[in-house]
Amino acid sequence: MIQQEFGNRAKEILEPDDNVIGLAVAGSWLTDEIDEFSDLDLILVTRQKISDDKNLMLDYARKLGGFLSGFTGEHVGEPRLLICLYDNPLLHVDIKFLTLEEFQSRIETPTLLIDKGGQLANIIHHTEAGFPYPDYQWIEDRFWTWIHYALLKIGRGEYFEAYDFMGFLRMIVLGPLLHIKNGNLPRGVRKVETALNTQDLEKLKLTIPDYNRQSLLESLRNAVSLYRHLRAELFDSKVNLQNSTEEKVMRYFEEIENKH
């Protein structure tokens, strides 16, 4: 696969660099799920901190050949990430620039392509990967206000905003909770088409609206129903349910539905 060829070439190019401690690869490489549509997730560990200088990050990215463009990942909450596009062949490559100390905190255990002095392997041996899971209380505290917000947009006829909100709700709430229910890591809506059981996937599809008032309201109600089912199955008694807020918002939901 082109991703593996790129990774192996990156290893050959970067290994002689004295500033490079290690090169690791993560993502679909680890689960043998790479296909023609996969990107490549690289982790470059250096002695000198690179991630505080975009120009240095770009310099390393250009060394790997065929570089087209790259930008840092503040929009996904990770400024240490350089999101790159390479040519011949066209390939999306994410390069995360870390120091040895930063490598100790990770969400998965990567495959090591370069590991000078066994330093990365030693860190992996003495630490554990921890994928971030959603805070159920955080979700419950926000969910009903979010539903009210969507109702305001639908009521005002701002259907594009309401439509986009449904995608946000699937990414932040419904997708992660459904993944957890199905024994997966809560990666938004990633690979829900294959990672969820058929019944759960069909319920999630019911939250995708058409561009009209009635469909938006039906999809929003389906989202509420799905959230309630997931909440009952996944949340424990420590989560303080916002019952009063829920009741008032759902009463307002009925008012909006009854307006023509």
Side-chain angles (χ1 to χ4, degrees), residues 39-61:
D39 60 9
L40 179 63
D41 299 298
L42 295 178
I43 302 166
L44 182 60
V45 183
T46 56
R47 303 181 194 282
Q48 174 192 357
K49 187 176 179 65
I50 299 296
S51 61
D52 55 359
D53 188 332
K54 180 184 175 182
N55 290 326
L56 287 177
M57 296 167 76
L58 288 168
D59 286 344
Y60 268 97

Side-chain angles (χ1 to χ4, degrees), residues 145-166 211-213 216-217 220 252 256:
T145 301
W146 284 340
I147 297 301
H148 179 256
Y149 169 85
L151 291 168
L152 295 177
K153 297 303 177 183
I154 296 171
R156 188 182 285 161
E158 296 177 344
Y159 295 161
F160 272 109
E161 286 205 65
Y163 194 96
D164 286 348
F165 169 79
M166 296 303 298
Y211 181 78
N212 63 73
R213 185 179 191 277
L216 283 161
L217 286 170
L220 190 62
Y252 183 67
I256 294 296

Side-chain angles (χ1 to χ4, degrees), residues 150-211:
L151 291 168
L152 295 177
K153 297 303 177 183
I154 296 171
R156 188 182 285 161
E158 296 177 344
Y159 295 161
F160 272 109
E161 286 205 65
Y163 194 96
D164 286 348
F165 169 79
M166 296 303 298
F168 166 81
L169 206 59
R170 285 189 295 273
M171 178 67 71
I172 300 299
V173 178
L174 302 177
L177 296 184
L178 282 167
H179 271 312
I180 293 170
K181 177 178 180 288
N182 283 264
N184 310 320
L185 292 177
R187 297 178 183 266
V189 292
R190 186 176 182 186
K191 297 187 178 180
V192 291
E193 292 83 359
T194 55
L196 302 185
N197 68 52
T198 302
Q199 186 178 18
D200 284 339
L201 180 59
E202 291 304 313
K203 289 179 180 178
L204 188 61
K205 287 180 183 178
L206 293 176
T207 69
I208 302 175
D210 294 325
Y211 181 78

Side-chain angles (χ1 to χ4, degrees), residues 139-140 143-144 147 169 173-174 177 181 203 220-235 241-251 253-254:
I139 292 174
E140 174 68 12
F143 185 82
W144 302 107
I147 297 301
L169 206 59
V173 178
L174 302 177
L177 296 184
K181 177 178 180 288
K203 289 179 180 178
L220 190 62
R221 189 168 280 280
N222 290 334
V224 167
S225 176
L226 180 54
Y227 174 69
R228 282 170 163 167
H229 284 296
L230 290 167
R231 182 178 67 177
E233 183 164 348
L234 298 176
F235 294 10
L241 302 184
Q242 302 297 312
N243 293 320
S244 178
T245 306
E246 176 179 354
E247 179 184 350
K248 294 181 186 302
V249 169
M250 293 312 292
R251 195 178 304 155
F253 203 136
E254 293 177 1

